[in-house]
Amino acid sequence: MATIKMNRAKSAAAAISYAVGPNRMKQETKDWLIKHGCPPGALKNNDRAVVRSGINISPIYANAEMKAVRQHANGDTVKNQAVRIIQSFAADDLDITKPENWQKCNDIGYEFARRAFGGLDDENKEGYYPSYQIAIYTHVDGKGHKLHNHIIVNKTNLNDGKQWTVDNLDQEWRSFREINDAVCREYGLKITQERSKKVKKTISERELEMKGQYVWKNDLRARIDGALAEIKKKNINLEDSLKARGVDVRRRGKNGISYAFVDNEGKKRISRGQRLGTNYERESVDEYEQEIKRQREQSQERAREAARSVRLDARRQAIDAVQAHQQHVERSVGTSRERVKRVGERKRAIIKLVRSLQQAVDRSIALIMRLRADFERRKAEMKRFQTKIRKMDSIKSYQDLERQMRLVAKVAEQSKKTAAPKAIVAVTLRAENSSNPLIAATADMTQYLVMIDQGVWSGRQFEFSGREKEALEKATPEQLKKINGIAKRQAKRLSGIVDEAVERQKKNAERLRAVRNRGKRYRR
């Protein structure tokens, strides 16, 4: 697999001089090659370039020929005179110890350079050779001991004298990489599916790692990895996450990105994303952020859909429950409109009555707490009242009930004059032989309200007897209203009588206690 690197060279002469390397072949390189099987006769030349070739130029006089073309075109005033491309081959593709592979390496570099700068595929046509001067030099030295080409391209066009320009060198490099892959494939070299390395490390970085020394690029990668992991878990952008880790990120142009930070040694370091690896390039980072954003939006949308689904299910269940209840009510009341109307009226009347009773229960809770201390005494009083009430089970009509009410008022007036601590309940309580169920129900309601108001309610649920319920269902709304009014008025009157009697008892007890205390003082 062949890889390429490219950059601009300010001086074409310097780039060519380095590529030719006259008398700069190191002895240690020769020793290593001979030790690993290279014939000694192939290393007679001491130049770094073991094989040379050129397109539109002689590789031996490349410097002079390129300079002449630049001077003719623009007086040799170009800022960046050449483009330098380094094409490197893995040991599995080309064995550096075999001299026949040196020429093959140079041929691959020649074909790549010809196509990369505009050469046609048909050798018989005029445009087969590109309109640029290109020199290819093959090296066998270097730390990695890999065959590699130095390709020097004069930027001045031979046809029009204009300079070779490109808006995005990285984008151009990607197109050159595809040409390189195609040429290598034609020469039988293996091409992996993913050419770019996710993490790029130089030889010096690997050597430092092997020695266990600090590598600032590894530190930078670790900080970027931590920031990328954080933005996936938290709703935070990459810039803020990197800043919290001491890394400043800068996006340049459409595809460029660079990272700057102060390493553990106190030095300020800056690196482009492409030098760290494909995981840290602008395209990868932007795609990663977009993917996280898309996943969050999908999660939010799923949550909203789930909430809507839950609400719809709840509504459907509520509607189904209401419909089922309505169907049950319709089946229970029958198909007759008249009966439905009567049942509805009775139902509303009972509901109103029960609500009024429930309101009374609610009001009585506070009163029960306040009168808990007097519970036993008032319970005894109510027992005496119940005994008297049972003796009055002779009411047969509402006229009798009104007469009893008048009797209660009369007795109340007499009790005020005599100051007797008694209270008379002027309505019949429910008994087994009550002749009128409506009056019995009225008595029950009166008893309930009185006991609630006086704080002696035992806590059991209030419930009419079956006979009273049947009578209440047949009663008219006017009758129900009258029953409710009578019960409330009687309860209020009886409660007043009881309260007055209790107050009188308290006053008598205090008066008696004062007399006793006075007598004690006299005896002393």
Side-chain angles (χ1 to χ4, degrees):
M1 179 185 69
T3 60
I4 59 171
K5 297 180 182 178
M6 62 183 300
N7 53 39
R8 298 180 179 92
K10 293 183 178 181
S11 173
I16 293 172
S17 176
Y18 180 85
V20 175
N23 297 318
R24 295 179 187 173
M25 173 75 76
K26 295 182 179 180
Q27 185 61 39
E28 60 184 24
T29 300
K30 292 183 178 182
D31 295 341
W32 185 92
L33 291 171
I34 294 172
K35 180 180 178 180
H36 288 80
C38 180
L43 299 171
K44 294 180 180 180
N45 190 354
N46 292 326
D47 295 343
R48 296 184 66 190
V50 294
V51 181
R52 310 175 189 185
S53 62
I55 301 175
N56 300 323
I57 197 172
S58 170
I60 300 175
Y61 306 105
N63 183 21
E65 293 180 10
M66 288 185 182
K67 183 176 181 180
V69 171
R70 290 196 302 272
Q71 287 180 342
H72 177 74
N74 48 45
D76 199 12
T77 58
V78 181
K79 182 178 181 180
N80 294 314
Q81 297 176 349
V83 175
R84 177 171 46 206
I85 300 174
I86 299 176
Q87 185 182 36
S88 180
F89 297 86
D92 295 339
D93 292 329
L94 296 177
D95 188 354
I96 195 172
T97 61
K98 296 180 179 180
E100 60 269 23
N101 287 336
W102 301 353
Q103 183 61 49
K104 186 177 180 179
C105 175
N106 191 271
D107 293 341
I108 294 174
Y110 181 95
E111 184 61 21
F112 159 73
R114 188 190 65 78
R115 296 185 190 181
F117 287 88
L120 300 179
D121 292 337
D122 191 353
E123 188 174 359
N124 297 322
K125 292 187 178 181
E126 183 179 354
Y128 180 77
Y129 295 99
S131 56
Y132 292 95
Q133 295 171 307
I134 306 173
I136 303 96
Y137 302 94
T138 302
H139 288 193
V140 294
D141 59 353
K143 293 183 179 180
H145 297 290
K146 295 180 181 180
L147 272 171
H148 59 279
N149 292 321
H150 284 256
I151 303 172
I152 312 300
V153 183
N154 191 14
K155 291 177 60 178
T156 304
N157 191 297
L158 294 173
N159 295 332
D160 54 16
K162 295 182 179 180
Q163 299 299 304
W164 182 80
T165 57
V166 60
D167 295 333
N168 191 319
L169 190 62
D170 182 69
Q171 192 68 26
E172 189 71 17
W173 169 81
R174 293 178 185 275
S175 65
F176 283 2
R177 186 181 66 181
E178 295 176 0
I179 298 172
N180 181 61
D181 291 347
V183 174
C184 291
R185 198 177 290 110
E186 292 176 5
Y187 277 84
L189 274 63
K190 296 179 181 179
I191 303 298
T192 59
Q193 294 297 325
E194 178 58 40
R195 288 296 309 274
S196 297
K197 294 182 179 180
K198 293 183 178 180
V199 177
K200 294 181 180 179
K201 293 184 180 180
T202 62
I203 295 174
S204 59
E205 289 181 59
R206 294 190 181 96
E207 291 177 351
L208 290 174
E209 287 180 351
M210 293 177 63
K211 295 178 182 178
Q213 297 181 6
Y214 174 73
V215 181
W216 68 267
K217 283 189 178 180
N218 289 347
D219 186 8
L220 179 58
R221 292 188 189 98
R223 299 189 189 194
I224 298 173
D225 292 339
L228 293 173
E230 184 181 23
I231 65 175
K232 188 175 183 180
K233 297 179 181 179
K234 301 179 181 179
N235 189 11
I236 185 174
N237 58 39
L238 180 61
E239 285 76 5
D240 294 340
S241 183
L242 285 172
K243 190 173 183 180
R245 290 167 170 78
V247 180
D248 293 330
V249 60
R250 180 183 178 187
R251 288 177 168 84
R252 300 174 292 102
K254 294 182 179 180
N255 301 312
I257 188 170
S258 61
Y259 307 92
F261 80 117
V262 178
D263 65 5
N264 292 348
E265 298 175 351
K267 298 179 181 179
K268 185 175 181 180
R269 304 288 190 177
I270 300 175
S271 177
R272 294 183 181 180
Q274 63 185 12
R275 294 182 179 177
L276 299 175
T278 57
N279 283 350
Y280 310 97
E281 293 180 356
R282 171 75 173 272
E283 183 178 356
S284 300
V285 171
D286 290 346
E287 289 179 357
Y288 184 81
E289 287 187 294
Q290 292 297 327
E291 179 64 19
I292 292 175
K293 184 178 180 181
R294 185 182 63 81
Q295 291 177 0
R296 286 174 180 164
E297 291 176 352
Q298 289 180 351
S299 300
Q300 292 174 358
E301 183 63 26
R302 286 195 295 268
R304 287 193 292 268
E305 290 179 357
R308 288 195 294 267
S309 177
V310 170
R311 289 195 294 269
L312 291 175
D313 292 341
R315 290 177 183 175
R316 293 193 190 99
Q317 292 177 1
I319 293 172
D320 293 341
V322 172
Q323 290 177 349
H325 179 70
Q326 290 177 347
Q327 292 174 0
H328 176 71
V329 172
E330 291 175 357
R331 285 194 300 270
S332 64
V333 299
T335 57
S336 174
R337 290 187 178 181
E338 293 295 332
R339 184 178 178 185
V340 170
K341 185 177 180 180
R342 289 197 300 271
V343 170
E345 292 175 354
R346 292 171 186 172
K347 187 177 179 180
R348 286 192 292 272
I350 293 174
I351 290 174
K352 185 176 180 180
L353 177 60
V354 173
R355 284 179 179 174
S356 63
L357 295 176
Q358 186 62 44
Q359 291 174 359
V361 172
D362 294 338
R363 289 192 302 269
S364 65
I365 292 175
L367 182 61
I368 290 173
M369 298 299 293
R370 180 170 54 85
L371 300 176
R372 187 176 295 276
D374 298 335
F375 176 74
E376 293 298 333
R377 177 178 54 77
R378 296 200 178 189
K379 185 175 181 180
E381 292 292 334
M382 288 303 301
K383 286 183 179 179
R384 288 196 297 271
F385 295 155
Q386 289 174 0
T387 302
K388 293 182 180 181
I389 290 170
R390 291 191 183 95
K391 296 179 182 180
M392 301 178 66
D393 191 12
S394 60
I395 300 175
K396 303 300 181 182
S397 64
Y398 285 104
Q399 289 78 14
D400 295 339
L401 184 61
E402 292 176 354
R403 284 195 296 272
Q404 288 293 339
M405 291 168 59
R406 289 193 296 271
L407 178 60
V408 169
K410 183 176 179 181
V411 172
E413 291 295 331
Q414 291 177 357
S415 64
K416 290 180 180 179
K417 296 177 181 180
T418 59
K422 296 181 180 180
I424 299 174
V425 178
V427 68
T428 303
L429 297 177
R430 178 166 62 84
E432 294 180 358
N433 298 323
S434 299
S435 58
N436 192 327
L438 290 176
I439 296 176
T442 307
D444 281 346
M445 281 189 286
T446 304
Q447 178 191 12
Y448 171 74
L449 295 174
V450 171
M451 294 179 75
I452 288 297
D453 191 54
Q454 297 302 319
V456 295
W457 177 245
S458 63
R460 61 185 176 85
Q461 296 293 326
F462 174 73
E463 185 177 2
F464 293 117
S465 67
R467 190 162 59 91
E468 292 171 353
K469 290 181 179 179
E470 184 178 359
L472 288 171
E473 289 179 356
K474 294 180 181 180
T476 63
E478 290 77 10
Q479 289 178 328
L480 292 174
K481 184 176 181 180
K482 189 172 183 180
I483 290 170
N484 192 22
I486 291 172
K488 287 183 178 180
R489 290 193 298 273
Q490 285 296 93
K492 184 176 181 181
R493 291 173 183 173
L494 294 176
S495 295
I497 293 172
V498 172
D499 290 340
E500 290 177 2
V502 171
E503 289 296 329
R504 283 195 296 272
Q505 287 180 350
K506 287 183 178 180
K507 291 180 180 179
N508 291 337
E510 291 175 358
R511 190 181 300 109
L512 180 59
R513 193 181 298 109
V515 172
R516 289 177 180 176
N517 293 337
R518 194 180 304 116
K520 289 179 181 180
R521 288 196 298 270
Y522 291 155
R523 285 195 296 272
R524 290 177 184 175

